[in-house]
Amino acid sequence: MGNADFECPHRVAIPPKKPFLDSLSSNLKETFFPDDPFKQFKNQPLPTQIFLWLKYFIPFLSWAPHYTLDFFKADLVAGITIASLAVPQGISYANLASIPPIIGLYSSFVPPLIYAMLGSSKDVAVGTVAVASLLMSAMLGKEVNPVEHPKQYVQLVFTATFFAGVFQASLGFLRLGLIVDFLSHATIVGFMGGAATVVCLQQLKGITGLVHFTHETDIVSVMRSLFTQLHKWRWESIVLGCCFLFFLLLTRYLSKKKPIFFWISALAPLTSVILGSLLVYLTHAEKHGVQVIGSLKKGLNPPSVSDLVFGSPHLAITIKTGIIIGIIGLAEGVAVGRSFAAFKNYHIDGNKEMIAFGMMNIVGSCTSCYLTAGPFSRTAVNFNAGCKTAVSNIVMAIALMITLLFLTPFFHYTPLVVLSAIIITAMLGLINYEEVIHLWKIDKFDFVVCLGAYIGVVFGSVETGLIVAITLSLLRVLLIMARPRTLVLGNIPNSTIYRSVDQYPTANRVPGILILQLEAPIYFANSNYLRERLSRWITDEEERIKTSGETSLQYIILDMSGVSSIDSSGISMLEEVKKSTERKGLKLVLCNPRSEVIKKLNEVKFIEAIGQEWIYLTVGEAVTACNFMLHTCKPNHAAAELNSLV
């Protein structure tokens, strides 16, 4: 290639300096306010701003003026349908949390009303969550025995719910939802699957009719407790449990095969409760080893503000429990809301959801409710029933109010074994083995994270599983940051495009030039690795050239288009690489440094040291210039020659 073939490259621009406060404000906005929620308030009069603020924090005000009778008809059907599921689930999950069943019913009355006002999802149906119920029983039950000290235990449950609500609302108000994002999809799949397995194992107590059972959740303790009490198994409970379990699984299977019959599966739990209660009442099965709920007092939620204990010696474990169940509630609720919003092509605000969940749990803890979220099973029923807005939650709350005022005595003879069958059926839907197989196919590390979470929950505890899952997820983030990929680029034949030679085997290496692409920000965590990796690429390339007899290596081009930012350690690394290449008689060339990167390189005089003429906008221009120098002058005089031409 001669002089006639050389074209003057486009200069890489150095952005103008911004005042520190402007730069800080811009970075904070990108981090915490990517959706720019304050845009609508600009240039508006004060009364309008106040109204817009109310609409922002109370989404109900946005859609209520446009509510129609057709919407109400759809929401009425959906609300009654999910109410039929809420009653048996509320009682069942309260039993799982080792609290009085009436609290499970209370929890489906007040929180849905709060969510209907503050939530941004049209489909989420509020209710108690099995995993959170199990967590409460497992964590708080170690501190206070729910059988020996029921009142103290319930106080801890309400207090943990309060702290969960405060934590959730704080994340929303401070727009720190990115914390929940550390629970990756693989983490949630493994954790939920493990928790569902543990919940199912715990229900073997109800199925077999055992009175005393281990409070541990790991599979070894459960199996030991189960098989050391073989002589205490009640065949009546086993037969009744298996019959209702078969009925519930059959209705669930039919609903999955024919989605139009979703109502069969939705009504099956309440049908089971009614049939089970009638069977026990008519046969007096409670006198033959079949345990029943017993009497439930009538009336609406009594206040429980006085039951919040902030001076308890168990305050530390209560706060810890609240934070953990708050994270689980958010992870499930927000994920479920986003999933169903995607089906209807609308967007939900994650921060508003956090505020809504937090406020309903704060208010709930003061009105005899324990933790509520947006469980998948209830939301799926609400979605399939054709809900249009959050009014379906209000309808459900009214139906629960009627139940609390007039119908609670009818649940006296409800057998616990039926509740166990209902819980097992609901939990089997959370063991998503198909997704685990999918993870294995597309990402082995995600599969390991998922499996680690599952094993941690099943063989350790729910806390252990959560810690293992989060640790593995963070480890992956750290590995990606600390060990970013570096690629050798080659020229795609008959083009000016340069791509990885591993991905495109037909791409040709350019004689005398090594083109390396960096694919991550350069930080203190990866600067040493990148320095060593670049040095090894250069050494490997020199050895390859010696064996192949090609043109000796003269130029190192670093494609920095993937480097979004750099810190002082990264700058020091580039300076060391520059010195190292110069000692070998090689010239370092930079290609397409991003705005933030080139500003910092300019500040530390690195551009002056390397020479503005050795920084190019594209790899193609950099290769053209290097080829020009290779064919016209020696590398030592290249900079001066190029300066005179440019």
Side-chain angles (χ1 to χ4, degrees):
M1 186 183 296
N3 292 359
D5 297 311
F6 177 76
E7 294 182 4
C8 180
H10 302 93
R11 289 294 189 188
V12 176
I14 300 174
K17 289 184 179 180
K18 282 185 179 180
F20 172 74
L21 290 179
D22 289 350
S23 179
L24 178 64
S25 174
S26 176
N27 289 334
L28 289 175
K29 182 179 178 181
E30 284 299 313
T31 302
F32 297 107
F33 303 99
D35 53 343
D36 196 11
F38 305 120
K39 185 178 181 180
Q40 58 182 320
F41 304 112
K42 294 177 181 177
N43 304 320
Q44 296 289 346
L46 183 61
T48 305
Q49 285 191 15
I50 293 173
F51 181 66
L52 289 173
W53 274 109
L54 288 174
K55 286 175 65 176
Y56 181 77
F57 285 108
I58 308 176
F60 174 81
L61 297 175
S62 297
W63 54 263
H66 311 290
Y67 197 71
T68 65
L69 181 61
D70 289 336
F71 281 7
F72 178 70
K73 291 177 182 177
D75 288 335
L76 180 64
V77 173
I80 293 173
T81 305
I82 56 176
S84 67
L85 182 63
V87 171
Q89 275 192 350
I91 296 172
S92 302
Y93 294 166
N95 186 51
L96 187 62
S98 303
I99 55 179
I102 191 68
I103 296 178
L105 295 181
Y106 289 157
S107 301
S108 291
F109 173 47
V110 173
L113 296 175
I114 305 297
Y115 183 82
M117 300 295 111
L118 303 178
S120 63
S121 172
K122 302 174 183 178
D123 302 289
V124 166
V126 171
T128 52
V129 185
V131 176
S133 302
L134 175 69
L135 270 168
M136 280 188 164
S137 179
M139 297 179 71
L140 299 178
K142 293 177 181 178
E143 295 292 312
V144 176
N145 191 303
V147 177
E148 297 175 2
H149 307 285
K151 184 177 180 181
Q152 187 182 4
Y153 177 78
V154 169
Q155 288 177 334
L156 294 185
V157 168
F158 289 153
T159 309
T161 301
F162 175 81
F163 283 118
V166 170
F167 176 73
Q168 292 171 330
S170 299
L171 289 183
F173 281 118
L174 298 175
R175 303 183 69 83
L176 294 175
L178 53 93
I179 293 176
V180 180
D181 292 339
F182 276 104
L183 290 174
S184 65
H185 175 65
T187 301
I188 294 174
V189 169
F191 177 78
M192 288 298 183
T197 302
V198 168
V199 170
C200 290
L201 291 173
Q202 287 288 323
Q203 299 320 299
L204 294 176
K205 172 189 176 183
I207 296 291
T208 55
L210 294 175
V211 177
H212 302 289
F213 205 69
T214 180
H215 291 293
E216 300 296 327
T217 58
D218 64 283
I219 188 171
V220 176
S221 299
V222 171
M223 291 294 104
R224 185 187 298 119
S225 180
L226 188 69
F227 288 106
T228 54
Q229 301 184 74
L230 274 171
H231 58 289
K232 296 181 181 179
W233 289 16
R234 307 292 303 198
W235 68 267
E236 300 93 339
S237 286
I238 295 174
V239 172
L240 195 63
C242 290
C243 289
F244 279 105
L245 187 59
F246 175 76
F247 168 70
L248 290 165
L249 290 174
L250 180 62
T251 57
R252 183 169 172 267
Y253 174 77
L254 291 174
S255 295
K256 286 187 71 176
K257 294 293 286 185
K258 299 285 185 181
I260 195 171
F261 296 127
F262 74 91
W263 54 271
I264 296 176
S265 179
L267 294 176
L270 185 59
T271 304
S272 299
V273 168
I274 295 171
L275 291 177
S277 300
L278 285 174
L279 186 62
V280 170
Y281 177 75
L282 295 174
T283 61
H284 303 287
E286 78 277 10
K287 298 178 181 178
H288 301 282
V290 177
Q291 301 173 55
V292 297
I293 289 178
S295 59
L296 295 176
K297 59 181 180 180
K298 292 195 293 185
L300 298 180
N301 304 34
S304 55
V305 179
S306 59
D307 290 323
L308 299 178
V309 285
F310 302 114
S312 167
H314 309 294
L315 184 61
I317 190 65
T318 306
I319 295 174
K320 178 183 175 183
T321 303
I323 292 174
I324 291 177
I325 62 176
I327 291 174
I328 297 302
L330 279 184
E332 181 176 3
V334 174
V336 167
R338 284 174 176 166
S339 299
F340 285 97
F343 286 121
K344 292 186 178 179
N345 196 29
Y346 71 93
H347 173 72
I348 69 168
D349 189 323
N351 290 297
K352 288 182 183 177
E353 290 295 285
M354 293 176 192
I355 294 172
F357 286 150
M359 294 307 297
M360 74 184 187
N361 282 314
I362 291 172
V363 175
S365 67
C366 299
T367 53
S368 299
C369 305
Y370 80 110
L371 187 111
T372 50
F376 177 82
S377 58
R378 200 177 297 190
T379 302
V381 170
N382 193 35
F383 177 84
N384 288 324
C387 70
K388 298 297 183 183
T389 68
V391 169
S392 59
N393 279 288
I394 298 176
V395 174
M396 176 183 68
I398 294 172
L400 262 293
M401 179 187 72
I402 295 170
T403 301
L404 288 167
L405 288 173
F406 306 109
L407 304 179
T408 50
F410 293 101
F411 296 104
H412 181 281
Y413 290 100
T414 301
L416 296 182
V417 65
V418 171
L419 302 182
S420 295
I422 291 171
I423 292 174
I424 290 174
T425 306
M427 289 300 98
L428 289 177
L430 294 179
I431 304 176
N432 195 348
Y433 65 90
E434 293 178 347
E435 186 61 26
V436 176
I437 296 172
H438 181 63
L439 289 175
W440 168 258
K441 290 179 179 178
I442 63 171
D443 195 315
K444 300 298 187 291
F445 197 96
D446 268 351
F447 174 79
V448 171
V449 170
C450 178
L451 195 63
Y454 183 86
I455 293 174
V457 172
V458 173
F459 289 93
S461 66
V462 178
E463 300 167 75
T464 303
L466 189 61
I467 291 170
V468 168
I470 293 176
T471 302
L472 287 173
S473 295
L474 290 176
L475 178 62
R476 179 167 199 180
V477 172
L478 291 174
L479 283 174
I480 292 173
M481 289 179 59
R483 295 293 182 268
R485 295 186 64 193
T486 56
L487 304 172
V488 175
L489 304 186
N491 176 242
I492 302 294
N494 303 316
S495 76
T496 57
I497 300 171
Y498 293 83
R499 292 292 182 267
S500 167
V501 295
D502 287 332
Q503 184 178 358
Y504 298 90
T506 57
N508 300 316
R509 294 172 184 256
V510 182
I513 304 171
L514 174 62
I515 310 169
L516 299 173
Q517 185 179 60
L518 308 181
E519 290 194 334
I522 305 176
Y523 291 120
F524 63 91
N526 62 23
S527 58
N528 285 331
Y529 167 77
L530 285 174
R531 182 181 62 249
E532 294 169 2
R533 192 69 187 91
L534 293 176
S535 176
R536 186 147 54 91
W537 275 124
I538 294 170
T539 303
D540 291 346
E541 180 69 6
E542 287 176 332
E543 291 177 356
R544 187 188 70 81
I545 288 172
K546 283 181 182 179
T547 56
S548 63
E550 296 178 9
T551 305
S552 61
L553 186 61
Q554 301 289 341
Y555 295 95
I556 309 297
I557 298 177
L558 291 186
D559 180 5
M560 302 183 69
S561 54
V563 182
S564 58
S565 60
I566 192 169
D567 68 356
S568 57
S569 298
I571 294 171
S572 297
M573 182 275 289
L574 287 180
E575 290 173 341
E576 290 177 24
V577 169
K578 175 182 175 293
K579 292 175 183 177
S580 174
T581 52
E582 287 178 347
R583 282 196 296 269
K584 293 184 177 184
L586 306 175
K587 185 62 186 177
L588 182 65
V589 182
L590 300 186
C591 177
N592 194 25
R594 308 287 286 273
S595 173
E596 290 299 313
V597 176
I598 199 161
K599 275 198 297 186
K600 291 183 178 179
L601 294 180
N602 187 51
E603 287 289 332
V604 298
K605 309 297 183 184
F606 182 80
I607 293 178
E608 184 179 320
I610 196 175
Q612 175 74 48
E613 67 278 5
W614 293 110
I615 302 177
Y616 296 91
L617 196 60
T618 67
V619 174
E621 289 179 347
V623 171
T624 301
C626 292
N627 272 328
F628 174 78
M629 297 303 160
L630 281 171
H631 290 83
T632 59
C633 56
K634 296 179 180 179
N636 294 336
H637 304 292
E641 180 70 19
L642 192 58
N643 263 329
S644 64
L645 288 168
V646 175

